[in-house]
Amino acid sequence: MVIQNNFHLFPLTGIVYSRITCFLCALNNRFKKQIMTIAKDKMVSVTYELKLDGKEGDVFEKAGKDSPLIFLYGSGMMLPAFESGLAEKKANDTFEIFIAAADAYGEVNEEAIVELPKSIFMVDGKIDEQLITPGNSVPMMSTSGQRMEGLVVSVDENTVQMDFNHPLAGEDLHFTGEILDVRDATEEELSAAYSTGGCGCGSGGGCGDGGCGDGGCESEGCGSGDQKSSGCGCH
């Protein structure tokens, strides 16, 4: 009895080969994305909770999954000690970072607490007493044009005492959180970061003024190195 073999082998056509190649490339890219680790010029998205005075301290600020901190790693916008604690981590990793005051926003500088003539706060011969009141932060500018944020400490008949220390000066910082996403930065994000300094931190609990894309760098947090209120962890 003869059994006829109806199966035939055909060489891969160009179309089939191309489709297989594309499929393998897609799998490879997906795998690479899944294992991408934090390194310079990666866009990083994290949740975090910040406590002062150690892990048992009060929660000062936090960013959840609905409004994470998104920043360009290695662009100089974040505290170096904060970035060091995130180095080589990947999505879904958790972190715990302790930063002593000296490595965060420094110790309180008594020379940054000054008395200013009350007259410099006058507009049209009047002082906005609702603004110039103890406990309020007032945006100001130095004689060299540097913007700064000052805290009104006290007000008397002729002077206003202002504190130009960073709001977190003298505080030890304790961060805990989770890495949500790590990806390559786009050309636009890199350009924004290195040409204008605008990209690097931001989100509902984060830190930054300037834009790096979706949810990237728009909102404000607890303060940055230029005395503006724009982000725990920001430099």
Side-chain angles (χ1 to χ4, degrees), residues 120-201:
I120 70 173
F121 297 95
M122 287 188 176
V123 178
D124 297 329
K126 298 181 180 180
I127 289 181
D128 185 345
E129 295 184 356
Q130 290 186 333
L131 176 63
I132 310 303
T133 190
N136 277 359
S137 291
V138 180
M140 302 187 69
M141 184 175 293
S142 70
T143 54
S144 62
Q146 178 186 5
R147 293 184 301 171
M148 58 183 67
E149 196 85 9
L151 178 70
V152 179
V153 178
S154 63
V155 181
D156 62 25
E157 185 176 354
N158 299 311
T159 62
V160 177
Q161 188 178 57
M162 301 288 295
D163 183 356
F164 291 100
N165 282 287
H166 189 282
L168 291 178
E171 298 284 359
D172 296 332
L173 311 181
H174 183 263
F175 292 92
T176 55
E178 179 184 0
I179 313 297
L180 298 182
D181 186 46
V182 182
R183 63 173 175 81
D184 291 324
T186 65
E187 290 299 324
E188 291 79 9
E189 289 166 342
L190 292 171
S191 177
Y194 293 115
S195 63
T196 68
C199 172
C201 326

Side-chain angles (χ1 to χ4, degrees), residues 1-188:
M1 180 175 62
V2 178
I3 300 177
Q4 184 176 0
N5 186 353
N6 292 319
F7 294 96
H8 302 276
L9 294 177
F10 294 94
L12 291 175
T13 65
I15 295 177
V16 174
Y17 181 78
S18 177
R19 288 178 177 175
I20 292 176
T21 301
C22 289
F23 176 73
L24 292 176
C25 287
L27 284 179
N28 184 53
N29 290 336
R30 184 177 178 183
F31 179 70
K32 286 172 64 178
K33 182 178 180 180
Q34 289 176 339
I35 64 170
M36 187 175 290
T37 58
I38 295 176
K40 184 172 174 58
D41 292 341
K42 302 294 184 185
M43 289 299 294
V44 180
S45 175
V46 306
T47 65
Y48 73 85
E49 184 175 81
L50 169 64
K51 294 182 178 181
L52 307 182
D53 301 321
K55 64 174 64 179
E56 303 303 325
D58 294 331
V59 175
F60 181 81
E61 183 176 276
K62 59 184 179 181
K65 291 184 178 181
D66 57 335
S67 56
L69 165 63
I70 304 172
F71 64 96
L72 181 66
Y73 188 90
S75 64
M77 300 297 290
M78 306 299 289
L79 291 170
F82 183 79
E83 287 199 337
S84 294
L86 299 178
E88 299 185 357
K89 290 186 178 294
K90 60 185 183 299
N92 299 320
D93 283 352
T94 59
F95 62 87
E96 181 174 6
I97 304 170
F98 174 79
I99 308 177
D103 297 320
Y105 299 103
E107 301 295 345
V108 174
N109 179 6
E110 296 298 331
E111 294 183 358
I113 303 174
V114 299
E115 290 192 353
L116 301 176
K118 201 171 184 179
S119 59
I120 70 173
F121 297 95
M122 287 188 176
V123 178
D124 297 329
K126 298 181 180 180
I127 289 181
D128 185 345
E129 295 184 356
Q130 290 186 333
L131 176 63
I132 310 303
T133 190
N136 277 359
S137 291
V138 180
M140 302 187 69
M141 184 175 293
S142 70
T143 54
S144 62
Q146 178 186 5
R147 293 184 301 171
M148 58 183 67
E149 196 85 9
L151 178 70
V152 179
V153 178
S154 63
V155 181
D156 62 25
E157 185 176 354
N158 299 311
T159 62
V160 177
Q161 188 178 57
M162 301 288 295
D163 183 356
F164 291 100
N165 282 287
H166 189 282
L168 291 178
E171 298 284 359
D172 296 332
L173 311 181
H174 183 263
F175 292 92
T176 55
E178 179 184 0
I179 313 297
L180 298 182
D181 186 46
V182 182
R183 63 173 175 81
D184 291 324
T186 65
E187 290 299 324
E188 291 79 9

